[in-house]
């Protein structure tokens, strides 16, 4: 088996991705689906003709591709482009490289998720009629394919891939040909990496694709309107009751709006006649070189690019530079925020002196210890107030997701996917409070009572 090519150490923030895959939404945006959700089919109109797309995947593989499968699939395309679009459509990589490119942790939980995703992407069969854009011939085509044509790997474990696993993955010919013909659209990977939930990342990729005219990808729109039921079919949402659709999308809508990608989301009409309209935030960037560099610097701190552009334009380069310096001094003082980008934005916008000035970190004057402690205490209290206010705005889904991420980080491979899913369901059902469990688990770990808390969690499940 050929050695995998090395990934470039620094990746551009905005890179191309295949436009058909992005526009058609081949993978359900839902993080979890019923075991019997093994097929879907939907029709749509394009260029005055009816297009059709369907998918089938056996229950033994977990049903149709969904959730994290979208992150894995997107990572494979990104690696394929980076490796120069090999003629045989086969990339050579490792498990850890795929997970890193997908923005996922390199641990046992995600090793298992990668194993399941590759199998599902290989087994799922897509059938399309007048749906796939042939960029060279400028026409819509029909056909059948699997996202992954084949894959092989070497691993020390028999059934599960790990970070050191070497893989050869062959993509569908349709995907490879489309990329070679330059039917690609830009995707902001820096922004994608800031999104917390797989559902939000999937919705972002689909909405970003809808922003571009499929016949001319250089043309874009400022808003996108669609019938709610049609949109649910495109997103591959299981429950097609309108209230359930809106509830499924609610958390992702909120995150994309808070992070500055969407300007507004509006619903019109009732029942099956409802439409949803997405208004995209402006994407034009400042032309000044210094401003562009500051935008990139904010993006590297996990501020979304649209929000970074808006901040630089609104507050000006001198203030942005000074506030970034203040934010980094705050981190240097020992404060570790749970959401660094949110704190940075608040530091930039603060006009009330909520955040104290850097503690003379750039001078030769040693600050008075008592004064330093007082200022640190005031800053910590201000941050805690900001954090508490932010938590009050979080939905139950967000709190549950955060608790699960904390538990995964602390216990790594001690809890399997089935146990984590049960725990997550208990949070959403109101049987357990996510914040309480998160605090108890964190405290137990720091007190070195891991075994006790693991036993307690097992009894709860």
């Amino acid at each position: 088996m050929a050695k995998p090519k090395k990934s470039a150490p620094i990746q551009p923030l905005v890179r191309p991705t295949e436009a058909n895959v992005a526009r058609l939404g081949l993978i359900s945006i839902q993080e979890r689906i019923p075991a019997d959700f093994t097929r879907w089919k939907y029709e749509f109109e394009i260029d005055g003709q009816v297009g059709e797309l369907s998918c089938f995947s056996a229950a033994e593989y977990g049903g149709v591709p969904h959730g994290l499968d979208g992150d894995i699939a997107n990572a494979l395309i990104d690696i394929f482009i980076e490796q120069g679009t090999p003629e045989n459509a086969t990339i050579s990589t490792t498990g850890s490289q795929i997970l890193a490119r997908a923005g996922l942790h390199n641990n046992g939980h995600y090793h298992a998720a990668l194993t399941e995703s590759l199998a599902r992407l290989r087994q799922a069969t897509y059938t399309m009629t007048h749906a796939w854009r042939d960029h060279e011939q400028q026409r819509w085509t029909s056909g059948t394919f699997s996202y992954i044509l084949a894959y092989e790997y070497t691993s020390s474990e028999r059934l599960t891939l790990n970070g050191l696993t070497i893989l050869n993955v062959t993509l569908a010919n349709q995907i490879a040909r489309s990329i070679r013909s330059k039917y690609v659209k830009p995707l902001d990977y820096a922004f994608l990496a800031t999104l917390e939930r797989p559902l939000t990342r999937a919705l972002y990729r689909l909405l970003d694709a809808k922003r571009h005219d499929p016949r001319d990808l250089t043309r874009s729109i400022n808003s996108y309107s669609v019938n709610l039921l049609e949109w649910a079919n495109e997103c591959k949402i299981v429950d097609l009751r309108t209230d359930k659709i809106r509830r499924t999308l609610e958390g992702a809508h909120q995150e994309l709006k808070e992070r500055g990608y969407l300007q507004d989301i509006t619903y019109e009409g009732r029942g099956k006649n409802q439409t949803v309209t997405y208004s995209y935030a402006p994407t034009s960037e400042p032309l000044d070189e210094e401003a562009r560099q500051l935008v990139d610097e904010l993006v590297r701190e996990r501020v979304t690019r649209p929000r970074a552009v808006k901040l630089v334009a609104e507050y000006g380069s001198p203030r942005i530079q000074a506030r970034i310096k203040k934010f980094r001094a705050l981190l240097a003082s020992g404060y570790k925020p749970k959401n660094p980008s949110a704190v940075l934005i608040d530091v930039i916008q603060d006009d009330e002196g909520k955040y104290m000035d850097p503690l003379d970190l750039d001078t030769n004057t040693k600050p008075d210890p008592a004064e330093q402690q007082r200022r640190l205490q005031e800053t910590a209290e201000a941050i805690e107030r900001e954090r508490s206010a932010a938590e009050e705005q979080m939905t139950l889904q967000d709190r549950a997701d955060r608790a699960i991420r904390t538990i995964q980080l602390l216990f790594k491979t001690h809890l399997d996917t089935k146990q984590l899913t049960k725990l997550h369901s208990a949070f959403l059902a109101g049987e357990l409070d996510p914040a309480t469990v998160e605090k108890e688990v964190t405290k137990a770990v720091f007190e070195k009572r891991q075994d006790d808390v693991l036993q307690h969690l097992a009894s709860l499940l």
Side-chain angles (χ1 to χ4, degrees):
M1 183 178 294
K3 279 189 174 183
K5 296 182 180 180
K6 291 183 179 179
S7 298
I10 299 176
Q11 292 298 316
L13 299 176
V14 177
R15 304 194 294 275
T17 191
E18 202 281 322
N20 279 302
V21 169
R23 175 180 55 83
L24 292 172
L26 300 177
I27 295 168
S28 170
I29 70 169
Q30 293 197 239
E31 296 168 46
R32 287 164 292 278
I33 61 172
D36 60 354
F37 188 36
T38 59
R39 63 176 70 241
W40 52 255
K41 180 171 73 172
Y42 79 100
E43 294 183 347
F44 51 93
E45 184 179 327
I46 191 161
D47 278 357
Q49 298 186 52
V50 176
E52 184 179 281
L53 184 67
S54 65
C55 175
F56 170 76
S57 184
E60 65 182 287
Y61 294 100
V64 298
H66 61 278
L68 288 176
D69 298 342
D71 295 314
I72 299 299
N74 192 65
L76 294 175
I77 284 181
D78 193 31
I79 295 171
F80 176 73
I81 294 174
E82 180 193 307
Q83 293 189 358
T85 66
E87 192 60 36
N88 60 0
T90 300
I91 61 172
S92 295
T93 185
T94 65
S96 61
Q97 287 176 333
I98 295 174
L99 291 174
R101 197 57 61 88
L104 305 174
H105 294 294
N106 185 23
N107 60 30
H109 170 71
Y110 288 110
H111 295 162
L114 173 61
T115 304
E116 294 172 5
S117 286
L118 290 175
R120 205 155 32 238
L121 292 170
R122 169 65 188 91
Q123 294 299 324
T125 300
Y126 294 95
T127 302
M128 54 193 178
T129 303
H130 193 68
W132 190 269
R133 185 70 174 175
D134 183 329
H135 187 52
E136 290 184 339
Q137 300 295 323
Q138 295 292 298
R139 63 183 182 183
W140 302 101
T141 63
S142 305
T144 300
F145 69 96
S146 293
Y147 200 106
I148 293 176
L149 193 60
Y151 68 96
E152 58 180 353
Y153 60 90
T154 61
S155 177
S156 59
E157 301 176 32
R158 189 168 65 89
L159 297 176
T160 304
L161 308 177
N162 57 46
L164 299 177
T165 300
I166 298 175
L167 295 113
N168 281 347
V169 182
T170 304
L171 296 180
N173 291 326
Q174 288 92 333
I175 296 175
R177 282 199 306 268
S178 186
I179 293 171
R180 292 194 197 100
S181 70
K182 306 300 182 186
Y183 192 60
V184 295
K185 59 167 287 293
L187 183 64
D188 191 335
Y189 279 79
F191 174 63
L192 186 65
T194 69
L195 301 176
E196 298 291 342
R197 297 174 56 194
L199 190 150
T200 308
R201 295 192 293 270
L203 187 64
Y204 162 66
R205 287 191 293 262
L206 186 55
L207 278 172
D208 204 57
K210 295 296 183 183
R211 196 169 191 168
H212 297 266
D213 185 334
R215 291 154 297 192
D216 181 0
L217 296 174
T218 62
R219 296 171 54 191
S220 61
I221 56 177
N222 296 320
S223 65
Y224 175 67
S225 297
V226 61
N227 174 272
L228 187 60
L229 284 177
E230 292 178 9
W231 187 231
N233 280 319
E234 290 205 53
C235 293
K236 320 305 181 294
I237 292 174
V238 180
D239 193 330
L240 295 181
R241 288 177 292 175
T242 54
D243 60 325
K244 290 289 187 180
I245 297 169
R246 292 179 62 155
R247 197 173 306 160
T248 299
L249 296 171
E250 181 181 6
H253 283 174
Q254 181 179 346
E255 187 175 0
L256 290 173
K257 191 173 180 180
E258 287 176 352
R259 293 184 177 273
Y261 178 72
L262 292 175
Q263 203 164 45
D264 201 11
I265 305 110
T266 56
Y267 290 97
E268 292 183 353
R270 301 181 63 182
K272 296 181 179 180
N273 294 320
Q274 282 186 77
T275 61
V276 58
T277 298
Y278 296 98
S279 299
Y280 298 99
T283 58
S284 57
E285 294 191 7
L287 297 177
D288 177 74
E289 180 61 27
E290 182 182 37
R292 281 201 299 270
Q293 290 177 1
L294 283 173
V295 167
D296 288 343
E297 193 166 352
L298 289 172
V299 170
R300 281 190 287 272
E301 295 288 354
R302 296 175 69 84
V303 177
T304 66
R305 184 168 292 276
R307 177 67 63 84
V309 171
K310 185 177 180 180
L311 289 169
V312 173
E314 183 175 352
Y315 293 103
S317 297
R319 173 161 171 160
I320 298 296
Q321 289 173 334
R323 295 304 173 91
I324 290 176
K325 181 180 178 182
K326 177 183 283 193
F327 170 72
R328 288 174 178 165
L330 181 64
L331 298 184
S333 73
Y335 174 63
K336 296 180 180 179
K338 291 184 177 180
N339 190 340
S341 62
V343 174
L344 173 55
I345 291 171
D346 203 47
V347 169
I348 292 170
Q349 295 175 327
D350 176 37
D351 288 322
E352 302 174 359
K354 182 165 56 173
Y355 300 92
M356 307 305 291
D357 290 329
L359 303 176
D360 300 321
L361 295 177
D362 297 320
T363 73
N364 295 321
T365 303
K366 187 176 181 180
D368 176 69
E371 175 65 10
Q372 182 177 17
Q373 183 60 36
R374 183 186 68 79
R375 293 167 69 184
L376 275 173
Q377 182 64 30
E378 289 181 357
T379 301
E381 289 173 356
I383 292 168
E384 181 61 26
R385 288 195 298 271
E386 183 271 338
R387 184 189 65 78
S388 297
E391 284 189 351
E392 290 177 2
Q393 301 298 319
M394 293 176 69
T395 64
L396 176 60
Q397 177 78 54
D398 293 331
R399 293 197 297 273
D401 290 345
R402 189 183 69 178
I404 290 296
R405 285 196 302 273
T406 299
I407 293 167
Q408 283 178 301
L409 179 64
L410 294 176
F411 290 120
K412 302 189 185 299
T413 59
H414 293 289
L415 293 171
D416 59 29
T417 303
K418 186 176 180 181
Q419 290 172 310
L420 290 169
T421 300
K422 283 186 177 180
L423 190 58
H424 191 271
S425 298
F427 290 151
L428 296 180
E431 298 168 3
L432 296 171
D433 177 56
T436 301
V437 173
E438 184 179 7
K439 289 177 182 177
E440 290 177 351
V441 166
T442 303
K443 182 180 179 183
V445 169
F446 280 108
E447 293 176 354
K448 298 184 178 179
R449 295 188 288 108
Q450 292 96 322
D451 292 341
D452 291 342
V453 77
L454 274 171
Q455 187 175 3
H456 180 57
L457 285 175
S459 68
L460 291 175
L461 297 173

